PDB file of all heavy atoms in Angstrom:
ATOM      1  N   ARG F  59       6.020  29.642 -25.332  1.00 92.00           N
ATOM      2  CA  ARG F  59       4.892  28.885 -25.866  1.00 92.00           C
ATOM      3  C   ARG F  59       5.164  27.380 -25.751  1.00 92.00           C
ATOM      4  O   ARG F  59       4.326  26.630 -25.267  1.00 92.00           O
ATOM      5  CB  ARG F  59       4.627  29.273 -27.317  1.00 92.00           C
ATOM      6  CG  ARG F  59       3.437  28.564 -27.926  1.00 92.00           C
ATOM      7  CD  ARG F  59       3.173  28.996 -29.356  1.00 92.00           C
ATOM      8  NE  ARG F  59       3.093  30.444 -29.440  1.00 92.00           N
ATOM      9  CZ  ARG F  59       3.833  31.186 -30.265  1.00 92.00           C
ATOM     10  NH1 ARG F  59       4.686  30.626 -31.095  1.00 92.00           N
ATOM     11  NH2 ARG F  59       3.710  32.492 -30.276  1.00 92.00           N
ATOM     12  N   VAL F 111     -11.761  27.511 -20.205  1.00 97.00           N
ATOM     13  CA  VAL F 111     -11.744  28.886 -20.713  1.00 97.00           C
ATOM     14  C   VAL F 111     -10.307  29.362 -20.880  1.00 97.00           C
ATOM     15  O   VAL F 111      -9.946  29.979 -21.892  1.00 97.00           O
ATOM     16  CB  VAL F 111     -12.544  29.826 -19.782  1.00 97.00           C
ATOM     17  CG1 VAL F 111     -12.370  31.285 -20.181  1.00 97.00           C
ATOM     18  CG2 VAL F 111     -14.015  29.439 -19.781  1.00 97.00           C
ATOM     19  N   MET F 112      -9.459  29.062 -19.896  1.00 96.00           N
ATOM     20  CA  MET F 112      -8.064  29.484 -19.960  1.00 96.00           C
ATOM     21  C   MET F 112      -7.351  28.842 -21.152  1.00 96.00           C
ATOM     22  O   MET F 112      -6.596  29.516 -21.867  1.00 96.00           O
ATOM     23  CB  MET F 112      -7.346  29.131 -18.650  1.00 96.00           C
ATOM     24  CG  MET F 112      -5.934  29.655 -18.541  1.00 96.00           C
ATOM     25  SD  MET F 112      -4.645  28.591 -19.222  1.00 96.00           S
ATOM     26  CE  MET F 112      -5.005  27.021 -18.504  1.00 96.00           C
ATOM     27  N   LEU F 113      -7.601  27.561 -21.414  1.00 96.00           N
ATOM     28  CA  LEU F 113      -6.966  26.901 -22.555  1.00 96.00           C
ATOM     29  C   LEU F 113      -7.403  27.547 -23.872  1.00 96.00           C
ATOM     30  O   LEU F 113      -6.573  27.748 -24.771  1.00 96.00           O
ATOM     31  CB  LEU F 113      -7.293  25.407 -22.564  1.00 96.00           C
ATOM     32  CG  LEU F 113      -6.583  24.562 -21.506  1.00 96.00           C
ATOM     33  CD1 LEU F 113      -7.141  23.135 -21.513  1.00 96.00           C
ATOM     34  CD2 LEU F 113      -5.079  24.549 -21.715  1.00 96.00           C
ATOM     35  N   ALA F 114      -8.682  27.889 -23.986  1.00 97.00           N
ATOM     36  CA  ALA F 114      -9.166  28.538 -25.210  1.00 97.00           C
ATOM     37  C   ALA F 114      -8.517  29.908 -25.396  1.00 97.00           C
ATOM     38  O   ALA F 114      -8.038  30.242 -26.499  1.00 97.00           O
ATOM     39  CB  ALA F 114     -10.691  28.668 -25.154  1.00 97.00           C
ATOM     40  N   ILE F 115      -8.465  30.695 -24.328  1.00 96.00           N
ATOM     41  CA  ILE F 115      -7.859  32.029 -24.414  1.00 96.00           C
ATOM     42  C   ILE F 115      -6.368  31.915 -24.691  1.00 96.00           C
ATOM     43  O   ILE F 115      -5.808  32.654 -25.511  1.00 96.00           O
ATOM     44  CB  ILE F 115      -8.129  32.835 -23.124  1.00 96.00           C
ATOM     45  CG1 ILE F 115      -9.604  33.195 -23.057  1.00 96.00           C
ATOM     46  CG2 ILE F 115      -7.254  34.091 -23.055  1.00 96.00           C
ATOM     47  CD1 ILE F 115     -10.033  33.795 -21.743  1.00 96.00           C
ATOM     48  N   GLN F 116      -5.710  30.982 -24.025  1.00 93.00           N
ATOM     49  CA  GLN F 116      -4.274  30.796 -24.223  1.00 93.00           C
ATOM     50  C   GLN F 116      -3.976  30.374 -25.665  1.00 93.00           C
ATOM     51  O   GLN F 116      -2.997  30.834 -26.257  1.00 93.00           O
ATOM     52  CB  GLN F 116      -3.744  29.747 -23.240  1.00 93.00           C
ATOM     53  CG  GLN F 116      -2.252  29.760 -23.064  1.00 93.00           C
ATOM     54  CD  GLN F 116      -1.754  31.041 -22.424  1.00 93.00           C
ATOM     55  OE1 GLN F 116      -2.330  31.557 -21.491  1.00 93.00           O
ATOM     56  NE2 GLN F 116      -0.669  31.564 -22.946  1.00 93.00           N
ATOM     57  N   ALA F 117      -4.829  29.522 -26.230  1.00 95.00           N
ATOM     58  CA  ALA F 117      -4.636  29.105 -27.625  1.00 95.00           C
ATOM     59  C   ALA F 117      -4.782  30.299 -28.569  1.00 95.00           C
ATOM     60  O   ALA F 117      -3.976  30.459 -29.495  1.00 95.00           O
ATOM     61  CB  ALA F 117      -5.619  27.999 -27.983  1.00 95.00           C
ATOM     62  N   LEU F 118      -5.796  31.141 -28.344  1.00 94.00           N
ATOM     63  CA  LEU F 118      -5.949  32.347 -29.169  1.00 94.00           C
ATOM     64  C   LEU F 118      -4.717  33.248 -29.050  1.00 94.00           C
ATOM     65  O   LEU F 118      -4.213  33.773 -30.046  1.00 94.00           O
ATOM     66  CB  LEU F 118      -7.198  33.126 -28.743  1.00 94.00           C
ATOM     67  CG  LEU F 118      -8.519  32.611 -29.284  1.00 94.00           C
ATOM     68  CD1 LEU F 118      -9.686  33.316 -28.590  1.00 94.00           C
ATOM     69  CD2 LEU F 118      -8.602  32.797 -30.785  1.00 94.00           C
ATOM     70  N   HIS F 119      -4.239  33.412 -27.816  1.00 91.00           N
ATOM     71  CA  HIS F 119      -3.060  34.250 -27.589  1.00 91.00           C
ATOM     72  C   HIS F 119      -1.830  33.667 -28.286  1.00 91.00           C
ATOM     73  O   HIS F 119      -1.130  34.363 -29.020  1.00 91.00           O
ATOM     74  CB  HIS F 119      -2.795  34.380 -26.085  1.00 91.00           C
ATOM     75  CG  HIS F 119      -1.521  35.112 -25.774  1.00 91.00           C
ATOM     76  ND1 HIS F 119      -0.294  34.495 -25.753  1.00 91.00           N
ATOM     77  CD2 HIS F 119      -1.295  36.419 -25.489  1.00 91.00           C
ATOM     78  CE1 HIS F 119       0.638  35.381 -25.466  1.00 91.00           C
ATOM     79  NE2 HIS F 119       0.051  36.559 -25.296  1.00 91.00           N
ATOM     80  N   ASP F 120      -1.574  32.388 -28.040  1.00 91.00           N
ATOM     81  CA  ASP F 120      -0.321  31.780 -28.495  1.00 91.00           C
ATOM     82  C   ASP F 120      -0.279  31.461 -29.986  1.00 91.00           C
ATOM     83  O   ASP F 120       0.802  31.459 -30.576  1.00 91.00           O
ATOM     84  CB  ASP F 120      -0.054  30.489 -27.724  1.00 91.00           C
ATOM     85  CG  ASP F 120       0.337  30.737 -26.284  1.00 91.00           C
ATOM     86  OD1 ASP F 120       0.450  31.909 -25.872  1.00 91.00           O
ATOM     87  OD2 ASP F 120       0.529  29.747 -25.557  1.00 91.00           O
ATOM     88  N   PHE F 121      -1.430  31.165 -30.564  1.00 92.00           N
ATOM     89  CA  PHE F 121      -1.421  30.708 -31.955  1.00 92.00           C
ATOM     90  C   PHE F 121      -2.073  31.674 -32.937  1.00 92.00           C
ATOM     91  O   PHE F 121      -2.037  31.446 -34.135  1.00 92.00           O
ATOM     92  CB  PHE F 121      -2.079  29.325 -32.042  1.00 92.00           C
ATOM     93  CG  PHE F 121      -1.396  28.310 -31.171  1.00 92.00           C
ATOM     94  CD1 PHE F 121      -2.045  27.782 -30.069  1.00 92.00           C
ATOM     95  CD2 PHE F 121      -0.091  27.919 -31.419  1.00 92.00           C
ATOM     96  CE1 PHE F 121      -1.407  26.862 -29.244  1.00 92.00           C
ATOM     97  CE2 PHE F 121       0.557  27.007 -30.603  1.00 92.00           C
ATOM     98  CZ  PHE F 121      -0.105  26.476 -29.512  1.00 92.00           C
ATOM     99  N   HIS F 122      -2.654  32.754 -32.417  1.00 91.00           N
ATOM    100  CA  HIS F 122      -3.269  33.708 -33.345  1.00 91.00           C
ATOM    101  C   HIS F 122      -2.772  35.136 -33.087  1.00 91.00           C
ATOM    102  O   HIS F 122      -2.016  35.682 -33.866  1.00 91.00           O
ATOM    103  CB  HIS F 122      -4.795  33.629 -33.258  1.00 91.00           C
ATOM    104  CG  HIS F 122      -5.484  34.560 -34.189  1.00 91.00           C
ATOM    105  ND1 HIS F 122      -5.338  34.500 -35.559  1.00 91.00           N
ATOM    106  CD2 HIS F 122      -6.314  35.610 -33.957  1.00 91.00           C
ATOM    107  CE1 HIS F 122      -6.044  35.450 -36.123  1.00 91.00           C
ATOM    108  NE2 HIS F 122      -6.647  36.145 -35.179  1.00 91.00           N
ATOM    109  N   TRP F 123      -3.233  35.761 -31.981  1.00 90.00           N
ATOM    110  CA  TRP F 123      -2.933  37.173 -31.755  1.00 90.00           C
ATOM    111  C   TRP F 123      -1.454  37.441 -31.540  1.00 90.00           C
ATOM    112  O   TRP F 123      -0.920  38.413 -32.088  1.00 90.00           O
ATOM    113  CB  TRP F 123      -3.737  37.711 -30.577  1.00 90.00           C
ATOM    114  CG  TRP F 123      -5.207  37.727 -30.835  1.00 90.00           C
ATOM    115  CD1 TRP F 123      -5.837  38.041 -32.004  1.00 90.00           C
ATOM    116  CD2 TRP F 123      -6.239  37.415 -29.899  1.00 90.00           C
ATOM    117  NE1 TRP F 123      -7.193  37.938 -31.851  1.00 90.00           N
ATOM    118  CE2 TRP F 123      -7.473  37.565 -30.576  1.00 90.00           C
ATOM    119  CE3 TRP F 123      -6.246  37.030 -28.568  1.00 90.00           C
ATOM    120  CZ2 TRP F 123      -8.688  37.334 -29.954  1.00 90.00           C
ATOM    121  CZ3 TRP F 123      -7.452  36.807 -27.951  1.00 90.00           C
ATOM    122  CH2 TRP F 123      -8.657  36.956 -28.638  1.00 90.00           C
ATOM    123  N   GLY F 124      -0.770  36.614 -30.738  1.00 85.00           N
ATOM    124  CA  GLY F 124       0.661  36.829 -30.498  1.00 85.00           C
ATOM    125  C   GLY F 124       1.484  36.762 -31.774  1.00 85.00           C
ATOM    126  O   GLY F 124       2.186  37.720 -32.123  1.00 85.00           O
ATOM    127  N   PRO F 125       1.401  35.638 -32.522  1.00 87.00           N
ATOM    128  CA  PRO F 125       2.169  35.556 -33.774  1.00 87.00           C
ATOM    129  C   PRO F 125       1.766  36.628 -34.793  1.00 87.00           C
ATOM    130  O   PRO F 125       2.620  37.191 -35.479  1.00 87.00           O
ATOM    131  CB  PRO F 125       1.840  34.153 -34.298  1.00 87.00           C
ATOM    132  CG  PRO F 125       1.480  33.370 -33.076  1.00 87.00           C
ATOM    133  CD  PRO F 125       0.782  34.360 -32.172  1.00 87.00           C
ATOM    134  N   ALA F 126       0.466  36.941 -34.887  1.00 89.00           N
ATOM    135  CA  ALA F 126       0.027  37.954 -35.847  1.00 89.00           C
ATOM    136  C   ALA F 126       0.591  39.323 -35.482  1.00 89.00           C
ATOM    137  O   ALA F 126       0.976  40.098 -36.370  1.00 89.00           O
ATOM    138  CB  ALA F 126      -1.503  38.002 -35.904  1.00 89.00           C
ATOM    139  N   SER F 127       0.664  39.632 -34.191  1.00 85.00           N
ATOM    140  CA  SER F 127       1.201  40.938 -33.792  1.00 85.00           C
ATOM    141  C   SER F 127       2.688  41.037 -34.107  1.00 85.00           C
ATOM    142  O   SER F 127       3.181  42.114 -34.434  1.00 85.00           O
ATOM    143  CB  SER F 127       0.940  41.221 -32.313  1.00 85.00           C
ATOM    144  OG  SER F 127       1.737  40.412 -31.496  1.00 85.00           O
ATOM    145  N   SER F 128       3.412  39.916 -34.046  1.00 82.00           N
ATOM    146  CA  SER F 128       4.843  39.978 -34.354  1.00 82.00           C
ATOM    147  C   SER F 128       5.084  40.050 -35.867  1.00 82.00           C
ATOM    148  O   SER F 128       6.149  40.484 -36.295  1.00 82.00           O
ATOM    149  CB  SER F 128       5.584  38.788 -33.742  1.00 82.00           C
ATOM    150  OG  SER F 128       5.277  37.598 -34.427  1.00 82.00           O
ATOM    151  N   ARG F 129       4.095  39.650 -36.668  1.00 87.00           N
ATOM    152  CA  ARG F 129       4.235  39.746 -38.130  1.00 87.00           C
ATOM    153  C   ARG F 129       3.798  41.117 -38.656  1.00 87.00           C
ATOM    154  O   ARG F 129       4.191  41.520 -39.737  1.00 87.00           O
ATOM    155  CB  ARG F 129       3.412  38.658 -38.817  1.00 87.00           C
ATOM    156  CG  ARG F 129       3.986  37.259 -38.676  1.00 87.00           C
ATOM    157  CD  ARG F 129       3.249  36.266 -39.563  1.00 87.00           C
ATOM    158  NE  ARG F 129       1.814  36.210 -39.294  1.00 87.00           N
ATOM    159  CZ  ARG F 129       1.234  35.384 -38.421  1.00 87.00           C
ATOM    160  NH1 ARG F 129       1.977  34.551 -37.721  1.00 87.00           N
ATOM    161  NH2 ARG F 129      -0.077  35.390 -38.252  1.00 87.00           N
ATOM    162  N   ALA F 130       2.975  41.804 -37.889  1.00 87.00           N
ATOM    163  CA  ALA F 130       2.462  43.108 -38.337  1.00 87.00           C
ATOM    164  C   ALA F 130       3.576  44.147 -38.323  1.00 87.00           C
ATOM    165  O   ALA F 130       4.551  44.035 -37.585  1.00 87.00           O
ATOM    166  CB  ALA F 130       1.310  43.550 -37.435  1.00 87.00           C
ATOM    167  N   ASP F 136      -2.711  48.120 -36.930  1.00 91.00           N
ATOM    168  CA  ASP F 136      -3.002  46.687 -36.854  1.00 91.00           C
ATOM    169  C   ASP F 136      -2.129  46.008 -35.798  1.00 91.00           C
ATOM    170  O   ASP F 136      -2.611  45.199 -35.005  1.00 91.00           O
ATOM    171  CB  ASP F 136      -2.785  46.040 -38.226  1.00 91.00           C
ATOM    172  CG  ASP F 136      -3.347  44.638 -38.301  1.00 91.00           C
ATOM    173  OD1 ASP F 136      -4.453  44.406 -37.751  1.00 91.00           O
ATOM    174  OD2 ASP F 136      -2.683  43.770 -38.912  1.00 91.00           O
ATOM    175  N   ALA F 137      -0.839  46.351 -35.762  1.00 86.00           N
ATOM    176  CA  ALA F 137       0.068  45.769 -34.767  1.00 86.00           C
ATOM    177  C   ALA F 137      -0.359  46.172 -33.365  1.00 86.00           C
ATOM    178  O   ALA F 137      -0.354  45.337 -32.445  1.00 86.00           O
ATOM    179  CB  ALA F 137       1.508  46.217 -35.035  1.00 86.00           C
ATOM    180  N   ALA F 138      -0.738  47.431 -33.180  1.00 87.00           N
ATOM    181  CA  ALA F 138      -1.168  47.905 -31.858  1.00 87.00           C
ATOM    182  C   ALA F 138      -2.433  47.173 -31.407  1.00 87.00           C
ATOM    183  O   ALA F 138      -2.544  46.759 -30.249  1.00 87.00           O
ATOM    184  CB  ALA F 138      -1.413  49.410 -31.889  1.00 87.00           C
ATOM    185  N   ARG F 139      -3.393  46.995 -32.320  1.00 92.00           N
ATOM    186  CA  ARG F 139      -4.639  46.285 -31.991  1.00 92.00           C
ATOM    187  C   ARG F 139      -4.354  44.843 -31.604  1.00 92.00           C
ATOM    188  O   ARG F 139      -4.864  44.349 -30.600  1.00 92.00           O
ATOM    189  CB  ARG F 139      -5.576  46.328 -33.203  1.00 92.00           C
ATOM    190  CG  ARG F 139      -6.882  45.596 -33.008  1.00 92.00           C
ATOM    191  CD  ARG F 139      -7.751  45.652 -34.255  1.00 92.00           C
ATOM    192  NE  ARG F 139      -7.104  45.187 -35.469  1.00 92.00           N
ATOM    193  CZ  ARG F 139      -6.955  43.900 -35.797  1.00 92.00           C
ATOM    194  NH1 ARG F 139      -7.424  42.960 -35.014  1.00 92.00           N
ATOM    195  NH2 ARG F 139      -6.357  43.567 -36.923  1.00 92.00           N
ATOM    196  N   LEU F 140      -3.498  44.170 -32.371  1.00 89.00           N
ATOM    197  CA  LEU F 140      -3.162  42.774 -32.066  1.00 89.00           C
ATOM    198  C   LEU F 140      -2.392  42.652 -30.758  1.00 89.00           C
ATOM    199  O   LEU F 140      -2.604  41.715 -29.989  1.00 89.00           O
ATOM    200  CB  LEU F 140      -2.371  42.170 -33.230  1.00 89.00           C
ATOM    201  CG  LEU F 140      -3.181  41.930 -34.498  1.00 89.00           C
ATOM    202  CD1 LEU F 140      -2.261  41.707 -35.692  1.00 89.00           C
ATOM    203  CD2 LEU F 140      -4.125  40.749 -34.310  1.00 89.00           C
ATOM    204  N   ARG F 141      -1.486  43.595 -30.490  1.00 86.00           N
ATOM    205  CA  ARG F 141      -0.738  43.579 -29.222  1.00 86.00           C
ATOM    206  C   ARG F 141      -1.676  43.761 -28.037  1.00 86.00           C
ATOM    207  O   ARG F 141      -1.520  43.116 -27.012  1.00 86.00           O
ATOM    208  CB  ARG F 141       0.340  44.661 -29.216  1.00 86.00           C
ATOM    209  CG  ARG F 141       1.655  44.207 -29.797  1.00 86.00           C
ATOM    210  CD  ARG F 141       2.804  45.133 -29.440  1.00 86.00           C
ATOM    211  NE  ARG F 141       2.504  46.549 -29.578  1.00 86.00           N
ATOM    212  CZ  ARG F 141       2.571  47.236 -30.717  1.00 86.00           C
ATOM    213  NH1 ARG F 141       2.938  46.639 -31.818  1.00 86.00           N
ATOM    214  NH2 ARG F 141       2.295  48.524 -30.733  1.00 86.00           N
ATOM    215  N   ARG F 142      -2.652  44.678 -28.170  1.00 90.00           N
ATOM    216  CA  ARG F 142      -3.621  44.877 -27.082  1.00 90.00           C
ATOM    217  C   ARG F 142      -4.424  43.600 -26.841  1.00 90.00           C
ATOM    218  O   ARG F 142      -4.648  43.224 -25.698  1.00 90.00           O
ATOM    219  CB  ARG F 142      -4.565  46.042 -27.404  1.00 90.00           C
ATOM    220  CG  ARG F 142      -3.960  47.409 -27.142  1.00 90.00           C
ATOM    221  CD  ARG F 142      -4.989  48.524 -27.210  1.00 90.00           C
ATOM    222  NE  ARG F 142      -5.731  48.572 -28.457  1.00 90.00           N
ATOM    223  CZ  ARG F 142      -5.332  49.186 -29.574  1.00 90.00           C
ATOM    224  NH1 ARG F 142      -4.182  49.834 -29.584  1.00 90.00           N
ATOM    225  NH2 ARG F 142      -6.086  49.167 -30.651  1.00 90.00           N
ATOM    226  N   ARG F 143      -4.834  42.929 -27.896  1.00 92.00           N
ATOM    227  CA  ARG F 143      -5.577  41.675 -27.737  1.00 92.00           C
ATOM    228  C   ARG F 143      -4.714  40.611 -27.074  1.00 92.00           C
ATOM    229  O   ARG F 143      -5.172  39.888 -26.194  1.00 92.00           O
ATOM    230  CB  ARG F 143      -6.075  41.156 -29.086  1.00 92.00           C
ATOM    231  CG  ARG F 143      -7.289  41.862 -29.567  1.00 92.00           C
ATOM    232  CD  ARG F 143      -7.837  41.187 -30.793  1.00 92.00           C
ATOM    233  NE  ARG F 143      -8.959  41.953 -31.298  1.00 92.00           N
ATOM    234  CZ  ARG F 143      -9.482  41.775 -32.489  1.00 92.00           C
ATOM    235  NH1 ARG F 143      -8.988  40.866 -33.305  1.00 92.00           N
ATOM    236  NH2 ARG F 143     -10.504  42.506 -32.876  1.00 92.00           N
ATOM    237  N   ALA F 144      -3.476  40.502 -27.521  1.00 88.00           N
ATOM    238  CA  ALA F 144      -2.575  39.504 -26.940  1.00 88.00           C
ATOM    239  C   ALA F 144      -2.319  39.808 -25.467  1.00 88.00           C
ATOM    240  O   ALA F 144      -2.312  38.901 -24.627  1.00 88.00           O
ATOM    241  CB  ALA F 144      -1.261  39.452 -27.728  1.00 88.00           C
ATOM    242  N   ALA F 145      -2.125  41.075 -25.149  1.00 87.00           N
ATOM    243  CA  ALA F 145      -1.885  41.466 -23.746  1.00 87.00           C
ATOM    244  C   ALA F 145      -3.122  41.183 -22.902  1.00 87.00           C
ATOM    245  O   ALA F 145      -3.020  40.671 -21.785  1.00 87.00           O
ATOM    246  CB  ALA F 145      -1.503  42.941 -23.661  1.00 87.00           C
ATOM    247  N   TRP F 146      -4.298  41.501 -23.417  1.00 92.00           N
ATOM    248  CA  TRP F 146      -5.548  41.223 -22.712  1.00 92.00           C
ATOM    249  C   TRP F 146      -5.688  39.722 -22.457  1.00 92.00           C
ATOM    250  O   TRP F 146      -6.003  39.301 -21.351  1.00 92.00           O
ATOM    251  CB  TRP F 146      -6.734  41.740 -23.539  1.00 92.00           C
ATOM    252  CG  TRP F 146      -8.062  41.324 -22.997  1.00 92.00           C
ATOM    253  CD1 TRP F 146      -8.787  41.964 -22.038  1.00 92.00           C
ATOM    254  CD2 TRP F 146      -8.823  40.178 -23.367  1.00 92.00           C
ATOM    255  NE1 TRP F 146      -9.957  41.274 -21.799  1.00 92.00           N
ATOM    256  CE2 TRP F 146      -9.995  40.165 -22.604  1.00 92.00           C
ATOM    257  CE3 TRP F 146      -8.615  39.147 -24.289  1.00 92.00           C
ATOM    258  CZ2 TRP F 146     -10.962  39.172 -22.720  1.00 92.00           C
ATOM    259  CZ3 TRP F 146      -9.582  38.152 -24.415  1.00 92.00           C
ATOM    260  CH2 TRP F 146     -10.741  38.185 -23.623  1.00 92.00           C
ATOM    261  N   ALA F 147      -5.436  38.922 -23.486  1.00 92.00           N
ATOM    262  CA  ALA F 147      -5.552  37.470 -23.355  1.00 92.00           C
ATOM    263  C   ALA F 147      -4.570  36.938 -22.308  1.00 92.00           C
ATOM    264  O   ALA F 147      -4.921  36.068 -21.503  1.00 92.00           O
ATOM    265  CB  ALA F 147      -5.322  36.789 -24.697  1.00 92.00           C
ATOM    266  N   ALA F 148      -3.353  37.447 -22.301  1.00 88.00           N
ATOM    267  CA  ALA F 148      -2.356  37.001 -21.325  1.00 88.00           C
ATOM    268  C   ALA F 148      -2.790  37.344 -19.904  1.00 88.00           C
ATOM    269  O   ALA F 148      -2.641  36.530 -18.986  1.00 88.00           O
ATOM    270  CB  ALA F 148      -0.997  37.622 -21.640  1.00 88.00           C
ATOM    271  N   ARG F 149      -3.344  38.527 -19.709  1.00 89.00           N
ATOM    272  CA  ARG F 149      -3.795  38.928 -18.373  1.00 89.00           C
ATOM    273  C   ARG F 149      -4.971  38.082 -17.892  1.00 89.00           C
ATOM    274  O   ARG F 149      -5.007  37.641 -16.749  1.00 89.00           O
ATOM    275  CB  ARG F 149      -4.178  40.411 -18.369  1.00 89.00           C
ATOM    276  CG  ARG F 149      -2.992  41.330 -18.467  1.00 89.00           C
ATOM    277  CD  ARG F 149      -3.422  42.792 -18.442  1.00 89.00           C
ATOM    278  NE  ARG F 149      -2.298  43.636 -18.798  1.00 89.00           N
ATOM    279  CZ  ARG F 149      -2.217  44.350 -19.910  1.00 89.00           C
ATOM    280  NH1 ARG F 149      -3.212  44.358 -20.768  1.00 89.00           N
ATOM    281  NH2 ARG F 149      -1.151  45.074 -20.150  1.00 89.00           N
ATOM    282  N   VAL F 150      -5.933  37.865 -18.773  1.00 94.00           N
ATOM    283  CA  VAL F 150      -7.089  37.045 -18.397  1.00 94.00           C
ATOM    284  C   VAL F 150      -6.639  35.615 -18.102  1.00 94.00           C
ATOM    285  O   VAL F 150      -7.101  34.990 -17.146  1.00 94.00           O
ATOM    286  CB  VAL F 150      -8.175  37.077 -19.493  1.00 94.00           C
ATOM    287  CG1 VAL F 150      -9.268  36.058 -19.234  1.00 94.00           C
ATOM    288  CG2 VAL F 150      -8.765  38.479 -19.601  1.00 94.00           C
ATOM    289  N   SER F 151      -5.716  35.119 -18.898  1.00 93.00           N
ATOM    290  CA  SER F 151      -5.192  33.768 -18.678  1.00 93.00           C
ATOM    291  C   SER F 151      -4.499  33.675 -17.319  1.00 93.00           C
ATOM    292  O   SER F 151      -4.674  32.689 -16.590  1.00 93.00           O
ATOM    293  CB  SER F 151      -4.209  33.428 -19.800  1.00 93.00           C
ATOM    294  OG  SER F 151      -4.163  32.071 -20.035  1.00 93.00           O
TER     295      SER F 151
END
Side-chain angles (χ1 to χ4, degrees):
R59 182 178 308 125
V111 172
M112 186 272 310
L113 287 173
I115 290 171
Q116 197 65 42
L118 280 170
H119 174 276
D120 289 358
F121 302 113
H122 181 61
W123 294 321
S127 71
S128 72
R129 288 189 303 269
D136 192 40
R139 178 181 54 80
L140 290 164
R141 272 196 315 277
R142 280 191 305 275
R143 281 188 184 166
W146 171 86
R149 288 181 191 112
V150 170
S151 208

